[in-house]
Amino acid sequence: MTFKTDFLWGGATAANQLEGAYDIDGKGLSVADAMPGGKERLAILASPEFDWTIDIEHFTYPNHDGIDHYHHFKEDIALFAEMGFKAYRFSVAWSRIFPMGDETTPNEKGLLFYDQLIDECLKYGIEPVVTISHYEMPLNLAKTYGGWKNRELIEFYVRFAKVLLERYQDKVKYWMTFNEINSATFFSGLSQGLVPSNGGDDKTNVFKAWHNQFVASAQAVKFGHDLNKSLQIGCMSIYSTTYSFDANPVNQLATQESIQEFNYFCNDVQVRGAYPAFTNRLHRKHGVNADALEISEEDLKIIKEGTVDYIGFSYYMSTVESKTGEGVQASGNMVLGGVKNPFLKESEWGWAVDPDGLCYALNDLYGRYQVPLFIVENGLGAIDKVQEDGTIQDDYRIDYLKKHIQSMNEAVEDGVDLMGYTPWGCIDLVSASTGEMSKRYGFIYVDLDDEGKGTKKRSKKKSFDWYKEVIASNATNL
């Protein structure tokens, strides 16, 4: 294997999916706290009937409790350290720091929690990798301001980012501004706070929200760089390797357009510092009123000056484009869509398992942008069964990760500059797409079910010791 000696092996989580403690120590409500659980979660959020004013007491699980990492973080990080983590990617709950999102003074109790969390990581030599905003906008910003389509959110976000960057500049080197910012291509509720009832079905609002996020991200990046030259601040997007169903030029062109829209658009703005040439075509395609986006010359200057240092991205599956309507509709993923790939197996949730697609992704991104890459999410959601002797034999997860690491190595040998790898859900947590505990990703099993019942006891799966050896050997032993 050819990974660099300081390669950042570790794992990734998000505050709203594992912390719990949703209403203590001054934390305000987030959009995640107002989301239902279950397989129909995204469909419910995308329906015209849903709005952010709904009575959240109906949704007491799963996000409200998570796995109670808030009270178990020392135990959890000790387990990460036992695996040999070099890095731990987590997010800061925005509403834990600014409960309503629009305050001018942060909640000190919320900051004290992250003081302890970061210090616990550093105690074990684990690099904190912090996502500033990860699907957990303060609910008030979605309800009162209408989410990211409102330009006022730029000021609120930048204030939040500045508080974190100033407080942790000497402890946290690696940052990302927004999680999976391009997810709004298909659904804007998670990342932009937009649902149909507040304009989420209007693409003009989605592109306006993106622009405001781009400006906010650039301001945060520039502030961080001016504050401390050693800080590495990245963007973060989903990458979906996309194949054409066949050689029909109609499908080939549709595939190219899909790649540009989903894999390149947001990255182009944040890495290159300018909107790509195909932006006008996207506006025409989606009926966007470009004049309503309120893009100023000053905004474009800020975006140009606030480019990121690296690309963080998630990779779970590939997709197949069929403009001609041929092929069988892919199952299990409302977000990415496409048709089934007959050459690939699927997970229990219908996600195509494609390790080779990761090598493709790495070569594609590095060839286009020539900045370091960081795989900050990758993993297999599966149902894990506890055996009579208490063990969890998750060989399927080991097989999935092993093949993806081999694919990463091929890309590194091709010349790709890869910083690190933090598989998703290194400890079992609540699924973002389905709101389930039964869709498990972790190396560490947490005794909780989809109703929130269980002991919360942590136990090691077979993959725990396997990944420990991967890290110790720098992947020479898979």
Side-chain angles (χ1 to χ4, degrees), residues 189-211:
L190 295 175
S191 63
Q192 297 181 339
L194 299 180
V195 292
S197 61
N198 71 346
D201 52 355
D202 182 344
K203 284 292 185 178
T204 296
N205 286 331
V206 172
F207 277 81
K208 190 175 184 178
W210 263 327
H211 178 72

mmCIF file with all atom_site columns, all heavy atoms in Angstrom, residues 189-211:
data_model
loop_
_atom_site.group_PDB
_atom_site.id
_atom_site.type_symbol
_atom_site.label_atom_id
_atom_site.label_alt_id
_atom_site.label_comp_id
_atom_site.label_asym_id
_atom_site.label_entity_id
_atom_site.label_seq_id
_atom_site.pdbx_PDB_ins_code
_atom_site.Cartn_x
_atom_site.Cartn_y
_atom_site.Cartn_z
_atom_site.occupancy
_atom_site.B_iso_or_equiv
_atom_site.pdbx_formal_charge
_atom_site.auth_seq_id
_atom_site.auth_comp_id
_atom_site.auth_asym_id
_atom_site.auth_atom_id
_atom_site.pdbx_PDB_model_num
ATOM 1   N N   . GLY A 1 189 ? -34.118 20.276 2.138   1.00 0.00 ? 189 GLY A N   1
ATOM 2   C CA  . GLY A 1 189 ? -34.564 20.386 3.523   1.00 0.00 ? 189 GLY A CA  1
ATOM 3   C C   . GLY A 1 189 ? -33.448 20.232 4.532   1.00 0.00 ? 189 GLY A C   1
ATOM 4   O O   . GLY A 1 189 ? -33.378 20.977 5.514   1.00 0.00 ? 189 GLY A O   1
ATOM 5   N N   . LEU A 1 190 ? -32.552 19.266 4.304   1.00 0.00 ? 190 LEU A N   1
ATOM 6   C CA  . LEU A 1 190 ? -31.506 18.986 5.276   1.00 0.00 ? 190 LEU A CA  1
ATOM 7   C C   . LEU A 1 190 ? -30.455 20.082 5.321   1.00 0.00 ? 190 LEU A C   1
ATOM 8   O O   . LEU A 1 190 ? -30.085 20.564 6.378   1.00 0.00 ? 190 LEU A O   1
ATOM 9   C CB  . LEU A 1 190 ? -30.833 17.644 4.953   1.00 0.00 ? 190 LEU A CB  1
ATOM 10  C CG  . LEU A 1 190 ? -31.701 16.386 5.059   1.00 0.00 ? 190 LEU A CG  1
ATOM 11  C CD1 . LEU A 1 190 ? -30.916 15.171 4.597   1.00 0.00 ? 190 LEU A CD1 1
ATOM 12  C CD2 . LEU A 1 190 ? -32.194 16.174 6.484   1.00 0.00 ? 190 LEU A CD2 1
ATOM 13  N N   . SER A 1 191 ? -29.952 20.480 4.146   1.00 0.00 ? 191 SER A N   1
ATOM 14  C CA  . SER A 1 191 ? -28.821 21.395 4.114   1.00 0.00 ? 191 SER A CA  1
ATOM 15  C C   . SER A 1 191 ? -29.210 22.863 4.041   1.00 0.00 ? 191 SER A C   1
ATOM 16  O O   . SER A 1 191 ? -28.425 23.732 4.419   1.00 0.00 ? 191 SER A O   1
ATOM 17  C CB  . SER A 1 191 ? -27.912 21.062 2.929   1.00 0.00 ? 191 SER A CB  1
ATOM 18  O OG  . SER A 1 191 ? -28.596 21.237 1.702   1.00 0.00 ? 191 SER A OG  1
ATOM 19  N N   . GLN A 1 192 ? -30.412 23.177 3.553   1.00 0.00 ? 192 GLN A N   1
ATOM 20  C CA  . GLN A 1 192 ? -30.802 24.576 3.370   1.00 0.00 ? 192 GLN A CA  1
ATOM 21  C C   . GLN A 1 192 ? -32.008 24.994 4.210   1.00 0.00 ? 192 GLN A C   1
ATOM 22  O O   . GLN A 1 192 ? -32.365 26.170 4.240   1.00 0.00 ? 192 GLN A O   1
ATOM 23  C CB  . GLN A 1 192 ? -31.112 24.844 1.887   1.00 0.00 ? 192 GLN A CB  1
ATOM 24  C CG  . GLN A 1 192 ? -29.911 24.664 0.969   1.00 0.00 ? 192 GLN A CG  1
ATOM 25  C CD  . GLN A 1 192 ? -30.238 24.964 -0.476  1.00 0.00 ? 192 GLN A CD  1
ATOM 26  O OE1 . GLN A 1 192 ? -31.407 24.941 -0.888  1.00 0.00 ? 192 GLN A OE1 1
ATOM 27  N NE2 . GLN A 1 192 ? -29.229 25.240 -1.271  1.00 0.00 ? 192 GLN A NE2 1
ATOM 28  N N   . GLY A 1 193 ? -32.640 24.029 4.877   1.00 0.00 ? 193 GLY A N   1
ATOM 29  C CA  . GLY A 1 193 ? -33.827 24.349 5.671   1.00 0.00 ? 193 GLY A CA  1
ATOM 30  C C   . GLY A 1 193 ? -35.042 24.660 4.825   1.00 0.00 ? 193 GLY A C   1
ATOM 31  O O   . GLY A 1 193 ? -36.012 25.255 5.310   1.00 0.00 ? 193 GLY A O   1
ATOM 32  N N   . LEU A 1 194 ? -35.014 24.248 3.553   1.00 0.00 ? 194 LEU A N   1
ATOM 33  C CA  . LEU A 1 194 ? -36.122 24.529 2.634   1.00 0.00 ? 194 LEU A CA  1
ATOM 34  C C   . LEU A 1 194 ? -36.947 23.277 2.399   1.00 0.00 ? 194 LEU A C   1
ATOM 35  O O   . LEU A 1 194 ? -36.438 22.253 1.951   1.00 0.00 ? 194 LEU A O   1
ATOM 36  C CB  . LEU A 1 194 ? -35.596 25.029 1.282   1.00 0.00 ? 194 LEU A CB  1
ATOM 37  C CG  . LEU A 1 194 ? -34.771 26.323 1.283   1.00 0.00 ? 194 LEU A CG  1
ATOM 38  C CD1 . LEU A 1 194 ? -34.324 26.660 -0.134  1.00 0.00 ? 194 LEU A CD1 1
ATOM 39  C CD2 . LEU A 1 194 ? -35.574 27.473 1.866   1.00 0.00 ? 194 LEU A CD2 1
ATOM 40  N N   . VAL A 1 195 ? -38.220 23.339 2.710   1.00 0.00 ? 195 VAL A N   1
ATOM 41  C CA  . VAL A 1 195 ? -39.192 22.294 2.390   1.00 0.00 ? 195 VAL A CA  1
ATOM 42  C C   . VAL A 1 195 ? -40.271 22.952 1.527   1.00 0.00 ? 195 VAL A C   1
ATOM 43  O O   . VAL A 1 195 ? -40.313 24.182 1.414   1.00 0.00 ? 195 VAL A O   1
ATOM 44  C CB  . VAL A 1 195 ? -39.778 21.660 3.672   1.00 0.00 ? 195 VAL A CB  1
ATOM 45  C CG1 . VAL A 1 195 ? -38.721 20.856 4.411   1.00 0.00 ? 195 VAL A CG1 1
ATOM 46  C CG2 . VAL A 1 195 ? -40.373 22.721 4.589   1.00 0.00 ? 195 VAL A CG2 1
ATOM 47  N N   . PRO A 1 196 ? -41.141 22.175 0.881   1.00 0.00 ? 196 PRO A N   1
ATOM 48  C CA  . PRO A 1 196 ? -42.136 22.791 -0.009  1.00 0.00 ? 196 PRO A CA  1
ATOM 49  C C   . PRO A 1 196 ? -42.933 23.937 0.614   1.00 0.00 ? 196 PRO A C   1
ATOM 50  O O   . PRO A 1 196 ? -43.219 24.932 -0.056  1.00 0.00 ? 196 PRO A O   1
ATOM 51  C CB  . PRO A 1 196 ? -43.033 21.612 -0.382  1.00 0.00 ? 196 PRO A CB  1
ATOM 52  C CG  . PRO A 1 196 ? -42.111 20.439 -0.372  1.00 0.00 ? 196 PRO A CG  1
ATOM 53  C CD  . PRO A 1 196 ? -41.179 20.698 0.788   1.00 0.00 ? 196 PRO A CD  1
ATOM 54  N N   . SER A 1 197 ? -43.253 23.821 1.884   1.00 0.00 ? 197 SER A N   1
ATOM 55  C CA  . SER A 1 197 ? -44.089 24.852 2.517   1.00 0.00 ? 197 SER A CA  1
ATOM 56  C C   . SER A 1 197 ? -43.377 26.193 2.687   1.00 0.00 ? 197 SER A C   1
ATOM 57  O O   . SER A 1 197 ? -44.014 27.218 2.890   1.00 0.00 ? 197 SER A O   1
ATOM 58  C CB  . SER A 1 197 ? -44.590 24.367 3.881   1.00 0.00 ? 197 SER A CB  1
ATOM 59  O OG  . SER A 1 197 ? -43.501 24.108 4.746   1.00 0.00 ? 197 SER A OG  1
ATOM 60  N N   . ASN A 1 198 ? -42.021 26.217 2.614   1.00 0.00 ? 198 ASN A N   1
ATOM 61  C CA  . ASN A 1 198 ? -41.326 27.510 2.684   1.00 0.00 ? 198 ASN A CA  1
ATOM 62  C C   . ASN A 1 198 ? -40.468 27.756 1.438   1.00 0.00 ? 198 ASN A C   1
ATOM 63  O O   . ASN A 1 198 ? -39.429 28.399 1.490   1.00 0.00 ? 198 ASN A O   1
ATOM 64  C CB  . ASN A 1 198 ? -40.492 27.648 3.968   1.00 0.00 ? 198 ASN A CB  1
ATOM 65  C CG  . ASN A 1 198 ? -39.264 26.757 3.984   1.00 0.00 ? 198 ASN A CG  1
ATOM 66  O OD1 . ASN A 1 198 ? -39.133 25.843 3.181   1.00 0.00 ? 198 ASN A OD1 1
ATOM 67  N ND2 . ASN A 1 198 ? -38.358 27.014 4.917   1.00 0.00 ? 198 ASN A ND2 1
ATOM 68  N N   . GLY A 1 199 ? -40.920 27.188 0.315   1.00 0.00 ? 199 GLY A N   1
ATOM 69  C CA  . GLY A 1 199 ? -40.289 27.497 -0.964  1.00 0.00 ? 199 GLY A CA  1
ATOM 70  C C   . GLY A 1 199 ? -39.269 26.508 -1.456  1.00 0.00 ? 199 GLY A C   1
ATOM 71  O O   . GLY A 1 199 ? -38.579 26.762 -2.442  1.00 0.00 ? 199 GLY A O   1
ATOM 72  N N   . GLY A 1 200 ? -39.152 25.363 -0.804  1.00 0.00 ? 200 GLY A N   1
ATOM 73  C CA  . GLY A 1 200 ? -38.155 24.384 -1.203  1.00 0.00 ? 200 GLY A CA  1
ATOM 74  C C   . GLY A 1 200 ? -38.413 23.720 -2.539  1.00 0.00 ? 200 GLY A C   1
ATOM 75  O O   . GLY A 1 200 ? -37.522 23.090 -3.105  1.00 0.00 ? 200 GLY A O   1
ATOM 76  N N   . ASP A 1 201 ? -39.654 23.842 -3.053  1.00 0.00 ? 201 ASP A N   1
ATOM 77  C CA  . ASP A 1 201 ? -39.961 23.257 -4.355  1.00 0.00 ? 201 ASP A CA  1
ATOM 78  C C   . ASP A 1 201 ? -39.729 24.250 -5.494  1.00 0.00 ? 201 ASP A C   1
ATOM 79  O O   . ASP A 1 201 ? -40.003 23.951 -6.652  1.00 0.00 ? 201 ASP A O   1
ATOM 80  C CB  . ASP A 1 201 ? -41.406 22.743 -4.395  1.00 0.00 ? 201 ASP A CB  1
ATOM 81  C CG  . ASP A 1 201 ? -42.416 23.799 -3.959  1.00 0.00 ? 201 ASP A CG  1
ATOM 82  O OD1 . ASP A 1 201 ? -41.994 24.898 -3.543  1.00 0.00 ? 201 ASP A OD1 1
ATOM 83  O OD2 . ASP A 1 201 ? -43.621 23.505 -4.024  1.00 0.00 ? 201 ASP A OD2 1
ATOM 84  N N   . ASP A 1 202 ? -39.231 25.418 -5.173  1.00 0.00 ? 202 ASP A N   1
ATOM 85  C CA  . ASP A 1 202 ? -38.915 26.446 -6.166  1.00 0.00 ? 202 ASP A CA  1
ATOM 86  C C   . ASP A 1 202 ? -37.400 26.489 -6.326  1.00 0.00 ? 202 ASP A C   1
ATOM 87  O O   . ASP A 1 202 ? -36.674 26.888 -5.413  1.00 0.00 ? 202 ASP A O   1
ATOM 88  C CB  . ASP A 1 202 ? -39.441 27.807 -5.697  1.00 0.00 ? 202 ASP A CB  1
ATOM 89  C CG  . ASP A 1 202 ? -39.202 28.923 -6.708  1.00 0.00 ? 202 ASP A CG  1
ATOM 90  O OD1 . ASP A 1 202 ? -38.371 28.736 -7.624  1.00 0.00 ? 202 ASP A OD1 1
ATOM 91  O OD2 . ASP A 1 202 ? -39.828 29.987 -6.572  1.00 0.00 ? 202 ASP A OD2 1
ATOM 92  N N   . LYS A 1 203 ? -36.892 26.087 -7.492  1.00 0.00 ? 203 LYS A N   1
ATOM 93  C CA  . LYS A 1 203 ? -35.454 25.989 -7.709  1.00 0.00 ? 203 LYS A CA  1
ATOM 94  C C   . LYS A 1 203 ? -34.758 27.346 -7.629  1.00 0.00 ? 203 LYS A C   1
ATOM 95  O O   . LYS A 1 203 ? -33.562 27.407 -7.342  1.00 0.00 ? 203 LYS A O   1
ATOM 96  C CB  . LYS A 1 203 ? -35.167 25.321 -9.055  1.00 0.00 ? 203 LYS A CB  1
ATOM 97  C CG  . LYS A 1 203 ? -35.371 23.820 -9.053  1.00 0.00 ? 203 LYS A CG  1
ATOM 98  C CD  . LYS A 1 203 ? -34.330 23.108 -8.190  1.00 0.00 ? 203 LYS A CD  1
ATOM 99  C CE  . LYS A 1 203 ? -34.462 21.597 -8.278  1.00 0.00 ? 203 LYS A CE  1
ATOM 100 N NZ  . LYS A 1 203 ? -33.421 20.907 -7.482  1.00 0.00 ? 203 LYS A NZ  1
ATOM 101 N N   . THR A 1 204 ? -35.495 28.418 -7.883  1.00 0.00 ? 204 THR A N   1
ATOM 102 C CA  . THR A 1 204 ? -34.886 29.745 -7.700  1.00 0.00 ? 204 THR A CA  1
ATOM 103 C C   . THR A 1 204 ? -34.452 29.921 -6.251  1.00 0.00 ? 204 THR A C   1
ATOM 104 O O   . THR A 1 204 ? -33.357 30.434 -5.966  1.00 0.00 ? 204 THR A O   1
ATOM 105 C CB  . THR A 1 204 ? -35.866 30.859 -8.109  1.00 0.00 ? 204 THR A CB  1
ATOM 106 O OG1 . THR A 1 204 ? -36.138 30.759 -9.513  1.00 0.00 ? 204 THR A OG1 1
ATOM 107 C CG2 . THR A 1 204 ? -35.261 32.241 -7.832  1.00 0.00 ? 204 THR A CG2 1
ATOM 108 N N   . ASN A 1 205 ? -35.286 29.456 -5.320  1.00 0.00 ? 205 ASN A N   1
ATOM 109 C CA  . ASN A 1 205 ? -34.932 29.538 -3.896  1.00 0.00 ? 205 ASN A CA  1
ATOM 110 C C   . ASN A 1 205 ? -33.728 28.670 -3.569  1.00 0.00 ? 205 ASN A C   1
ATOM 111 O O   . ASN A 1 205 ? -32.869 29.054 -2.760  1.00 0.00 ? 205 ASN A O   1
ATOM 112 C CB  . ASN A 1 205 ? -36.121 29.118 -3.033  1.00 0.00 ? 205 ASN A CB  1
ATOM 113 C CG  . ASN A 1 205 ? -37.214 30.171 -2.989  1.00 0.00 ? 205 ASN A CG  1
ATOM 114 O OD1 . ASN A 1 205 ? -36.949 31.353 -3.123  1.00 0.00 ? 205 ASN A OD1 1
ATOM 115 N ND2 . ASN A 1 205 ? -38.449 29.723 -2.817  1.00 0.00 ? 205 ASN A ND2 1
ATOM 116 N N   . VAL A 1 206 ? -33.667 27.487 -4.174  1.00 0.00 ? 206 VAL A N   1
ATOM 117 C CA  . VAL A 1 206 ? -32.540 26.576 -3.923  1.00 0.00 ? 206 VAL A CA  1
ATOM 118 C C   . VAL A 1 206 ? -31.231 27.206 -4.388  1.00 0.00 ? 206 VAL A C   1
ATOM 119 O O   . VAL A 1 206 ? -30.228 27.204 -3.662  1.00 0.00 ? 206 VAL A O   1
ATOM 120 C CB  . VAL A 1 206 ? -32.767 25.218 -4.618  1.00 0.00 ? 206 VAL A CB  1
ATOM 121 C CG1 . VAL A 1 206 ? -31.520 24.345 -4.524  1.00 0.00 ? 206 VAL A CG1 1
ATOM 122 C CG2 . VAL A 1 206 ? -33.970 24.500 -4.003  1.00 0.00 ? 206 VAL A CG2 1
ATOM 123 N N   . PHE A 1 207 ? -31.220 27.771 -5.599  1.00 0.00 ? 207 PHE A N   1
ATOM 124 C CA  . PHE A 1 207 ? -29.999 28.396 -6.111  1.00 0.00 ? 207 PHE A CA  1
ATOM 125 C C   . PHE A 1 207 ? -29.660 29.675 -5.337  1.00 0.00 ? 207 PHE A C   1
ATOM 126 O O   . PHE A 1 207 ? -28.481 29.998 -5.149  1.00 0.00 ? 207 PHE A O   1
ATOM 127 C CB  . PHE A 1 207 ? -30.137 28.684 -7.606  1.00 0.00 ? 207 PHE A CB  1
ATOM 128 C CG  . PHE A 1 207 ? -29.835 27.492 -8.474  1.00 0.00 ? 207 PHE A CG  1
ATOM 129 C CD1 . PHE A 1 207 ? -30.791 26.500 -8.691  1.00 0.00 ? 207 PHE A CD1 1
ATOM 130 C CD2 . PHE A 1 207 ? -28.583 27.336 -9.060  1.00 0.00 ? 207 PHE A CD2 1
ATOM 131 C CE1 . PHE A 1 207 ? -30.510 25.390 -9.477  1.00 0.00 ? 207 PHE A CE1 1
ATOM 132 C CE2 . PHE A 1 207 ? -28.291 26.235 -9.849  1.00 0.00 ? 207 PHE A CE2 1
ATOM 133 C CZ  . PHE A 1 207 ? -29.258 25.256 -10.058 1.00 0.00 ? 207 PHE A CZ  1
ATOM 134 N N   . LYS A 1 208 ? -30.676 30.377 -4.884  1.00 0.00 ? 208 LYS A N   1
ATOM 135 C CA  . LYS A 1 208 ? -30.444 31.556 -4.046  1.00 0.00 ? 208 LYS A CA  1
ATOM 136 C C   . LYS A 1 208 ? -29.821 31.129 -2.717  1.00 0.00 ? 208 LYS A C   1
ATOM 137 O O   . LYS A 1 208 ? -28.891 31.774 -2.210  1.00 0.00 ? 208 LYS A O   1
ATOM 138 C CB  . LYS A 1 208 ? -31.769 32.277 -3.816  1.00 0.00 ? 208 LYS A CB  1
ATOM 139 C CG  . LYS A 1 208 ? -31.643 33.644 -3.168  1.00 0.00 ? 208 LYS A CG  1
ATOM 140 C CD  . LYS A 1 208 ? -33.010 34.324 -3.113  1.00 0.00 ? 208 LYS A CD  1
ATOM 141 C CE  . LYS A 1 208 ? -32.918 35.731 -2.555  1.00 0.00 ? 208 LYS A CE  1
ATOM 142 N NZ  . LYS A 1 208 ? -34.239 36.405 -2.535  1.00 0.00 ? 208 LYS A NZ  1
ATOM 143 N N   . ALA A 1 209 ? -30.347 30.052 -2.161  1.00 0.00 ? 209 ALA A N   1
ATOM 144 C CA  . ALA A 1 209 ? -29.804 29.526 -0.905  1.00 0.00 ? 209 ALA A CA  1
ATOM 145 C C   . ALA A 1 209 ? -28.356 29.087 -1.087  1.00 0.00 ? 209 ALA A C   1
ATOM 146 O O   . ALA A 1 209 ? -27.500 29.352 -0.236  1.00 0.00 ? 209 ALA A O   1
ATOM 147 C CB  . ALA A 1 209 ? -30.661 28.356 -0.416  1.00 0.00 ? 209 ALA A CB  1
ATOM 148 N N   . TRP A 1 210 ? -28.075 28.410 -2.202  1.00 0.00 ? 210 TRP A N   1
ATOM 149 C CA  . TRP A 1 210 ? -26.693 28.020 -2.485  1.00 0.00 ? 210 TRP A CA  1
ATOM 150 C C   . TRP A 1 210 ? -25.782 29.235 -2.528  1.00 0.00 ? 210 TRP A C   1
ATOM 151 O O   . TRP A 1 210 ? -24.700 29.228 -1.944  1.00 0.00 ? 210 TRP A O   1
ATOM 152 C CB  . TRP A 1 210 ? -26.605 27.284 -3.821  1.00 0.00 ? 210 TRP A CB  1
ATOM 153 C CG  . TRP A 1 210 ? -26.611 25.808 -3.718  1.00 0.00 ? 210 TRP A CG  1
ATOM 154 C CD1 . TRP A 1 210 ? -26.086 25.041 -2.709  1.00 0.00 ? 210 TRP A CD1 1
ATOM 155 C CD2 . TRP A 1 210 ? -27.157 24.879 -4.663  1.00 0.00 ? 210 TRP A CD2 1
ATOM 156 N NE1 . TRP A 1 210 ? -26.266 23.705 -2.972  1.00 0.00 ? 210 TRP A NE1 1
ATOM 157 C CE2 . TRP A 1 210 ? -26.923 23.575 -4.163  1.00 0.00 ? 210 TRP A CE2 1
ATOM 158 C CE3 . TRP A 1 210 ? -27.812 25.027 -5.885  1.00 0.00 ? 210 TRP A CE3 1
ATOM 159 C CZ2 . TRP A 1 210 ? -27.317 22.431 -4.848  1.00 0.00 ? 210 TRP A CZ2 1
ATOM 160 C CZ3 . TRP A 1 210 ? -28.210 23.884 -6.565  1.00 0.00 ? 210 TRP A CZ3 1
ATOM 161 C CH2 . TRP A 1 210 ? -27.966 22.593 -6.050  1.00 0.00 ? 210 TRP A CH2 1
ATOM 162 N N   . HIS A 1 211 ? -26.220 30.274 -3.244  1.00 0.00 ? 211 HIS A N   1
ATOM 163 C CA  . HIS A 1 211 ? -25.381 31.457 -3.361  1.00 0.00 ? 211 HIS A CA  1
ATOM 164 C C   . HIS A 1 211 ? -25.076 32.033 -1.982  1.00 0.00 ? 211 HIS A C   1
ATOM 165 O O   . HIS A 1 211 ? -23.919 32.383 -1.685  1.00 0.00 ? 211 HIS A O   1
ATOM 166 C CB  . HIS A 1 211 ? -26.051 32.517 -4.239  1.00 0.00 ? 211 HIS A CB  1
ATOM 167 C CG  . HIS A 1 211 ? -25.230 33.765 -4.351  1.00 0.00 ? 211 HIS A CG  1
ATOM 168 N ND1 . HIS A 1 211 ? -24.060 33.819 -5.076  1.00 0.00 ? 211 HIS A ND1 1
ATOM 169 C CD2 . HIS A 1 211 ? -25.388 34.998 -3.784  1.00 0.00 ? 211 HIS A CD2 1
ATOM 170 C CE1 . HIS A 1 211 ? -23.536 35.031 -4.970  1.00 0.00 ? 211 HIS A CE1 1
ATOM 171 N NE2 . HIS A 1 211 ? -24.325 35.761 -4.192  1.00 0.00 ? 211 HIS A NE2 1
#
